[in-house]
Amino acid sequence: MYINFAILGILSSQSLTGYDLKKIIQESPFMYWSGNNNQIYKALGELLEADFVTNEEQHPGGSPAKKIYTITEAGKAELKRSLQFAPEPPEFKKTFLIQLAWSDQLNTNEFNAQLFGYEREIKQQILLQQEKRMRETNCPNRSPREIYIWEMIHENIISFYNNELMWVKKLRQGLCFCNEKVRAE
Amino acid sequence: MYINFAILGILSSQSLTGYDLKKIIQESPFMYWSGNNNQIYKALGELLEADFVTNEEQHPGGSPAKKIYTITEAGKAELKRSLQFAPEPPEFKKTFLIQLAWSDQLNTNEFNAQLFGYEREIKQQILLQQEKRMRETNCPNRSPREIYIWEMIHENIISFYNNELMWVKKLRQGLCFCNEKVRAE
DNA sequence: GGTGTCATGTAAACAGTTACATGATTTT
DNA sequence: AAAATCATGTAACTGTTTACATGACACC
């Protein structure tokens, strides 16, 4: 469960509540989870159980007793261990390719509409990611290497969408030639 | 559930058994499911229930009665409908980025080992995908447009991994400069 | 006679999402 | 006074995977 490691990572630079963690994960472009409560509070429960974090209740009179989670030494060791796991290959899920695979059954207009729709989605994602990059202020006391790494993480994500955008454009161009060829027959 | 649409897509050009579908999905680079029995047979059950497919038992004496599934007219209509759904943006899951984000805590050797490991994983994926492309013989009677589309689907996948490979190389290069700068201080 | 592939199906678990529920505090 | 945000947690569901179970048939 990589979300547990991600939480340890976030907590390694600052102590936070579950609610804070939820927001950070939701905002993050590379922590791919939706950041719903069920995941966060379940993960925190597990981390607490394993003594990788401790929590401190603030003003325990309040109804949802605010709990501030702090990483332990054991938690830091666990985080470092997770950083050395054998890297997994990147995965993707593109439902558009499922549609594309059999879209020869659409006429030219319908087909173009789908391509156009996909291109629009990608462009919107690029804007959204750039916005996230701007907004990012969290995570203090960074080393030069750390700053560079986070920069490169953002670049990774943007390049993913840019690559996809270039591909759609090429697909559309090639399709023009393909249609011309069909007309010529 | 896009797997149901994917199955309708596959069945639109040929009638097949659940076992055949399973193998096709496992082999496919863009149908991202593992192709386990549970999904296939459950999906076929649903499609049968909805009259999108029919099945014909062969030599009904045999113990696992071989069932050949055929798409119906309603199934073809459903497939065409699915092709016109609003395209979803592409998604990715890169656990390596989770590791990378906090890997400033690793020393240079450990860090390089992880980068090297990731690069090796990607290269292996590229080889695997190229192999799959070679092996692909199925799906008969293709139109020129269909051939082009399938070609582009493969290109999409290869470009995903190539993009990632280029990114790791750039990351490693930039890191050299970063380390030099640190040493210079 | 053993191994591998063909063929269908089920059980149990894990991962992840949406929606629900509650109540305090802050902002408008 | 209403609306938004802070804060914690649970329930129900969907999607996906691994593993189990069974048996026929082909090949070596």
Side-chain angles (χ1 to χ4, degrees):
Chain A
M1 280 278 282
Y2 267 84
I3 195 165
N4 294 34
F5 301 129
I7 289 174
L8 285 179
I10 299 167
L11 292 179
S12 71
S13 59
Q14 46 184 153
S15 294
L16 296 164
T17 66
Y19 188 79
D20 294 326
L21 285 164
K22 175 194 166 129
K23 279 195 300 177
I24 288 172
I25 290 170
Q26 277 174 341
E27 285 291 290
S28 166
F30 70 93
M31 291 185 258
Y32 51 85
W33 308 276
S34 72
N36 65 80
N37 294 348
N38 223 336
Q39 274 180 305
I40 308 291
Y41 292 110
K42 186 171 157 272
L44 284 172
E46 287 170 11
L47 292 173
L48 200 63
E49 185 76 17
D51 290 319
F52 294 148
V53 298
T54 57
N55 69 4
E56 198 189 349
E57 284 199 22
Q58 266 196 348
H59 49 77
S63 165
K66 188 172 169 178
K67 291 172 186 170
I68 296 171
Y69 288 87
T70 302
I71 195 167
T72 62
E73 284 308 311
K76 282 177 192 170
E78 175 70 3
L79 174 60
K80 185 165 178 186
R81 197 175 69 85
S82 80
L83 299 178
Q84 294 180 86
F85 287 170
E88 292 174 358
E91 285 171 41
F92 59 87
K93 180 173 164 181
K94 304 181 181 182
T95 53
F96 182 69
L97 292 185
I98 309 288
Q99 293 178 301
L100 186 65
W102 293 282
S103 58
D104 199 48
Q105 302 184 32
L106 298 178
N107 68 41
T108 311
N109 278 348
E110 292 165 336
F111 193 106
N112 283 335
Q114 289 300 91
L115 287 183
F116 188 79
Y118 190 53
E119 194 172 324
R120 199 181 45 218
E121 277 300 326
I122 296 163
K123 281 178 180 167
Q124 211 175 312
Q125 287 299 316
I126 291 174
L127 286 175
L128 217 137
Q129 292 306 324
Q130 282 169 344
E131 215 181 290
K132 278 188 182 181
R133 189 182 200 159
M134 293 296 150
R135 234 182 301 145
E136 194 177 49
T137 45
N138 56 328
C139 290
N141 45 45
R142 299 263 192 85
S143 73
R145 196 166 78 167
E146 219 167 344
I147 291 167
Y148 174 70
I149 286 171
W150 281 74
E151 195 60 38
M152 284 305 288
I153 288 174
H154 277 112
E155 192 170 312
N156 180 289
I157 291 150
I158 297 286
S159 80
F160 168 77
Y161 290 111
N162 272 334
N163 183 60
E164 199 71 7
L165 193 58
M166 275 162 50
W167 173 81
V168 192
K169 281 176 178 167
K170 189 182 168 186
L171 173 61
R172 186 177 282 153
Q173 276 223 326
L175 216 65
C176 287
F177 287 110
C178 207
N179 284 336
E180 274 166 33
K181 222 180 107 192
V182 168
R183 270 199 295 277
E185 275 163 18
Chain B
M1 280 278 280
Y2 268 85
I3 196 166
N4 294 32
F5 303 129
I7 288 173
L8 285 178
I10 299 167
L11 292 179
S12 71
S13 59
Q14 45 184 154
S15 295
L16 295 165
T17 65
Y19 188 79
D20 294 328
L21 286 164
K22 175 195 167 128
K23 278 194 299 176
I24 288 172
I25 290 170
Q26 278 175 340
E27 285 291 290
S28 166
F30 70 94
M31 291 185 256
Y32 50 85
W33 307 276
S34 73
N36 64 80
N37 295 347
N38 223 334
Q39 274 179 306
I40 308 290
Y41 292 110
K42 184 170 158 273
L44 284 172
E46 286 169 12
L47 292 173
L48 200 64
E49 185 77 16
D51 288 320
F52 294 147
V53 298
T54 56
N55 68 6
E56 199 190 348
E57 286 200 19
Q58 265 196 350
H59 49 77
S63 165
K66 188 172 169 176
K67 291 172 186 171
I68 295 172
Y69 288 85
T70 302
I71 196 167
T72 64
E73 284 308 311
K76 283 177 191 170
E78 175 70 1
L79 174 61
K80 184 165 179 187
R81 196 175 70 85
S82 80
L83 300 178
Q84 293 179 87
F85 288 169
E88 293 174 358
E91 285 170 43
F92 59 86
K93 180 174 164 180
K94 303 181 183 183
T95 53
F96 182 69
L97 292 185
I98 309 288
Q99 293 178 301
L100 187 65
W102 292 283
S103 57
D104 199 48
Q105 301 184 32
L106 298 179
N107 67 42
T108 311
N109 277 349
E110 291 165 337
F111 193 106
N112 283 334
Q114 288 301 90
L115 288 183
F116 187 79
Y118 190 53
E119 195 173 323
R120 199 181 44 216
E121 277 301 325
I122 297 163
K123 282 178 180 166
Q124 210 175 314
Q125 287 299 316
I126 291 174
L127 286 176
L128 217 136
Q129 293 305 325
Q130 283 170 342
E131 214 181 293
K132 278 187 181 179
R133 188 181 202 160
M134 294 295 149
R135 235 183 298 146
E136 195 176 49
T137 46
N138 55 327
C139 290
N141 44 46
R142 298 264 191 82
S143 74
R145 196 165 77 166
E146 220 169 343
I147 290 166
Y148 174 69
I149 288 171
W150 281 74
E151 195 60 37
M152 285 305 289
I153 289 173
H154 277 112
E155 191 169 314
N156 181 289
I157 292 151
I158 296 287
S159 80
F160 168 77
Y161 290 111
N162 272 334
N163 184 58
E164 199 70 8
L165 193 57
M166 274 161 51
W167 173 82
V168 191
K169 281 176 178 167
K170 190 183 166 185
L171 174 60
R172 185 175 283 155
Q173 276 223 325
L175 216 65
C176 288
F177 287 111
C178 208
N179 284 336
E180 274 165 35
K181 222 179 108 190
V182 169
R183 268 199 296 276
E185 276 165 17

